Amino acid sequence: MTVDEMLCEARAMLTPRLSPAAAYREMQQGALLVDIRYLEQRARDGEIPNAAIISRNEFEWRCDPSTPWRHEMINKDDYKQRIIVLCNQGYQSSFAAANLVRIGLSNVTDIEGGMQGWLSSGLPVVPFETSRIRALLVASGT
């Protein structure tokens, strides 16, 4: 199987992918946006207000409602919680979102074009605060 075939398979598992504007509207109605971009990408392009930041390497553990490591914004009792995954360009997020479907979350999708599409659409972004880098380094013991 090629990576393109894998991507098609992953996207077929998702509720319809969203345009950045549609994702923004759903956020306004209570959907959770999960940003899986690398720290450097968030520092470069900014962050989306009210998004949960979960790094890709811990994504599945932090999004699984049944784990003790779940992120505080993931509802432990709601496998139908609306979750929208965002990466830089909309590829990695499709794979990540499909993994959430595999663990039983049924209302998951991602954003066409990722953060680059969000920026092109002129949707709200806040600058990444460099003070957060220091706080993250201190928290990790680095």
Side-chain angles (χ1 to χ4, degrees), residues 74-86:
I74 300 294
N75 186 330
K76 70 177 183 164
D77 299 316
D78 186 3
Y79 279 78
K80 294 181 181 180
Q81 178 180 7
R82 181 60 159 167
I83 298 174
I84 304 166
V85 185
L86 173 101

Side-chain angles (χ1 to χ4, degrees), residues 84-106:
I84 304 166
V85 185
L86 173 101
C87 68
N88 188 50
Q89 294 181 324
Y91 296 98
Q92 188 180 28
S93 58
S94 294
F95 288 120
N99 281 344
L100 294 187
V101 173
R102 287 184 182 99
I103 62 174
L105 294 161
S106 62

Side-chain angles (χ1 to χ4, degrees), residues 13 16 26-27 36 48-49 61 64 66-67 75 87 93 96 108 113 118 126-127 135:
M13 297 173 68
E26 286 201 23
M27 284 182 69
I36 63 170
I48 297 172
W61 286 271
D64 184 342
S66 71
T67 70
N75 186 330
C87 68
S93 58
V108 180
W118 187 277
V126 294

Side-chain angles (χ1 to χ4, degrees), residues 29 31 37 39 54 66 84 102 126 132:
Q29 298 169 358
R37 292 176 300 138
L39 176 70
I54 302 176
S66 71
I84 304 166
R102 287 184 182 99
V126 294
R132 288 187 57 204

